[in-house]
Amino acid sequence: MRLRLRSILVGVAATLLLFGLADLVARLIGPTSAPLLVLGQAIIPLTPTSVIKPVIALFGANDKIVLVATVALGALILGALIGWLGGTRPRVGLAAFIVAGLVPAGAVLTRTGSTLIDVVPTLVGLAAGVVVLWVGLRWAAQATAAQAQASTTAARTPLLTRDSPADRAQRAGSRRRFLALTGIAAAVGAVGVATGQSIVALTREAAASAANLVLPRAARTAGPIPAGASLDVEGIRPFVTAQKDFYRIDTVLAPPTIDPQDWSLTIRGMVDQEVTITMDELLALPLQEQHTTLTCVSNPVGGDLVGNATWLGYPVRELLRRAGPSPDADMVLSHSHDGFTASTPLEAMLDDRDALLAVGMNGEPLTPVHGFPARLVVAGLYGFVSATKWGTQLEGTRFDEKE
């Protein structure tokens, strides 16, 4: 029993070291190299909508932290099981740990846009975890054997001759060595997670990629906000929600970093001609401002998954007219940089609600968490079918052909 417990502790410590050290090294490389984030991101598209909606309703903007914490807990449980197995079959346990550690490495490598350098943090963490697991299992066995031998000796020898100071010192040394190894490994892992890439990406606003983007003046400004729309009363939010306070619901754990000079949006599908627009071309168009409310479909009455902002952008209908939507098309499938898609009625993109391809929010460029460099803003529809961030494509299609 003592051996099983010690082996489980070794497995947990080795797993914590793997992910903690990897997360810490990932601070030097970027979010796409942090295995916790990558594993969490891989789970999102596999999760059915019937599960996602209740989670968002329950946890709101904290859903991403809950997801990563769940992934971490699952990894620790797996590590405990591997340690338990390694207690009696150390080579099998070691092999299982290596195979399990290669799973996040594979997830990192197969992520879109990843390079070989992105897998370095996971491999560093895996190497350290393997050393701790192998040495820890050996020391756990030695400490347990020393205790078992002492118990056997005590039962068979006279009271005056049993358990010499040297024997007690040896057993104490075995226990201290084992506890020091697992304790240090667990501490390093915990510090790595606490200060690593995942926590930073989940709890802080991403660096402003828009620092060098200068927004033009609006060709058509939004109307003035009526007096009394905002009340100076504690607990009542202002009419216009600041970017830092605006709710965030999306499918990425760490917002992408996109150079606006490399960005473009393509309109394709059921259209007369394919159209592509770059950021320079978009900013040269007569942009317009408008006050628009966005809300999440999971927002309860009185909830905080809703916000108003003054958006700056170009009407999507004008871009669609360039492409010439087919009379048979009834939906626009918007594609995000992260692979997310949203299906919006074509009519909502063409009518007088002025659906925007937005580049600005409250007089400033969009921040990465709110869709920089460009996103959709469609009034009157819930966000999951109208507010695609980091837009890359608008595809004319039909609801009965694509979801």
Side-chain angles (χ1 to χ4, degrees), residues 10-11 13-15 17 127-138 181-182 185-186:
V10 171
T15 303
L17 180 62
V130 165
V131 171
V132 167
L133 182 68
W134 182 247
V135 175
L137 289 176
R138 290 180 60 190
L181 177 69
T182 54

Side-chain angles (χ1 to χ4, degrees), residues 7-20 36 39 68-84 97 100 133 185-186 189-190 193:
S7 300
I8 288 172
L9 291 177
V10 171
V12 170
T15 303
L16 189 55
L17 180 62
L18 189 165
F19 284 98
L36 274 178
L39 286 175
V68 172
T70 303
V71 172
L73 179 60
L76 292 177
I77 292 173
L78 180 59
L81 292 174
I82 290 174
W84 178 84
F97 187 84
L133 182 68
V193 171

Side-chain angles (χ1 to χ4, degrees), residues 154-387:
R156 294 179 179 177
T157 58
L159 182 62
L160 295 178
T161 59
R162 68 177 68 166
D163 206 20
S164 68
D167 293 333
R168 289 197 298 272
Q170 182 180 8
R171 290 198 305 275
S174 297
R175 288 196 299 270
R176 283 196 298 269
R177 187 171 59 177
F178 168 78
L179 292 174
L181 177 69
T182 54
I184 291 173
V188 171
V191 170
V193 171
T195 59
Q197 181 64 62
S198 297
I199 296 297
V200 170
L202 291 171
T203 59
R204 296 182 186 175
E205 177 78 17
S209 305
N212 297 322
L213 184 67
V214 179
L215 295 179
R217 284 181 175 273
R220 193 184 85 185
T221 58
I225 298 173
S230 294
L231 301 176
D232 188 17
V233 176
E234 185 178 354
I236 298 182
R237 297 182 179 183
F239 182 81
V240 173
T241 309
Q243 286 207 55
K244 65 180 181 64
D245 299 324
F246 207 93
Y247 80 95
R248 176 196 171 192
I249 296 292
D250 51 54
T251 61
V252 298
L253 296 179
T257 301
I258 304 172
D259 187 334
Q261 296 305 312
D262 296 332
W263 174 89
S264 65
L265 179 86
T266 299
I267 303 174
R268 52 181 291 272
M270 297 175 65
V271 295
D272 295 336
Q273 61 177 347
E274 187 172 295
V275 172
T276 298
I277 185 169
T278 66
M279 180 56 66
D280 287 340
E281 292 169 339
L282 178 59
L283 295 180
L285 294 173
L287 304 185
Q288 65 183 52
E289 279 185 337
Q290 64 186 48
H291 308 304
T292 301
T293 301
L294 295 182
T295 185
C296 178
V297 68
S298 300
N299 188 54
V301 175
D304 58 0
L305 302 181
V306 60
N308 296 323
T310 303
W311 305 92
L312 175 69
Y314 190 67
V316 177
R317 65 168 177 266
E318 301 301 332
L319 296 175
L320 290 174
R321 284 171 180 166
R322 291 188 188 184
S326 166
D328 295 329
D330 63 5
M331 184 257 279
V332 173
L333 190 68
S334 53
H335 295 253
S336 171
H337 180 274
D338 72 311
F340 170 83
T341 58
S343 50
T344 309
L346 176 61
E347 181 182 1
M349 294 288 206
L350 297 176
D351 62 21
D352 60 3
R353 74 185 67 202
D354 286 339
L356 292 181
L357 178 61
V359 293
M361 184 178 181
N362 299 337
E364 299 176 346
L366 299 169
T367 58
V369 296
H370 291 304
F372 179 84
R375 66 173 294 169
L376 286 180
V377 176
V378 185
L381 298 176
Y382 286 118
F384 80 106
V385 294
S386 69

Side-chain angles (χ1 to χ4, degrees), residues 1-11 80 83-84 140 144 178:
M1 186 64 182
R2 290 193 183 98
L3 178 59
R4 291 294 194 188
L5 179 58
R6 288 188 173 114
S7 300
I8 288 172
L9 291 177
V10 171
W84 178 84
T144 303
F178 168 78

